[in-house]
Amino acid sequence: MKQFTVKVLLYTGLGMALLAAVLMAVLTLLCRLTPTVTVENNSQETLSNIVIALPSNTLRFDNIAPGESAQIFYDAAQNDGQYHVTLTRGTVAMQTHCGSISQGEWGKRMVISVHGDAVITCKEQLRF
């Protein structure tokens, strides 16, 4: 009976370890496939009131200190359109339109950089 219990515990432990490994692989894959927007603060002032309007939803960021960045995942089910960026750098309100967005852009990365000379640049990359 003791040997049976040991086998059951061993197989249960192996099954749990395998399940954990599969879940980690699925989560990693989802994180790599889900599109993101990153906002980088390359200026000397704090960014606040950061809103990225997408065709099908809106992303809001907390304040971003100088030299810092923040990233948000968003739903790949979007209508066709652009990224509309509004934010405040110090006391100056800024806005721009970046790139294009459409349905099913899995793995897409949009990086929005705010520079000290009051310029916003956008760089988009499709992973697939």
Side-chain angles (χ1 to χ4, degrees), residues 5-63:
T5 304
V6 170
K7 282 184 179 181
V8 168
L9 290 174
L10 177 66
Y11 289 132
T12 301
L14 288 173
M16 295 294 281
L18 181 61
L19 179 62
V22 168
L23 286 175
M24 288 300 294
V26 168
L27 286 174
T28 300
L29 183 62
L30 277 175
C31 287
R32 291 187 56 82
L33 289 178
T34 304
T36 64
V37 171
T38 302
V39 177
E40 297 176 337
N41 185 357
N42 296 319
S43 74
Q44 297 301 314
E45 300 185 56
T46 298
L47 303 180
S48 59
N49 304 317
I50 306 160
V51 176
I52 313 296
L54 306 176
S56 300
N57 59 336
T58 301
L59 310 175
R60 298 179 191 286
F61 289 80
D62 292 332
N63 293 348

Side-chain angles (χ1 to χ4, degrees), residues 81-99:
Q82 293 182 310
Y83 298 83
H84 298 279
V85 181
T86 58
L87 56 89
T88 304
R89 184 180 64 93
T91 59
V92 177
M94 302 172 69
Q95 65 178 356
T96 192
H97 302 291
C98 289

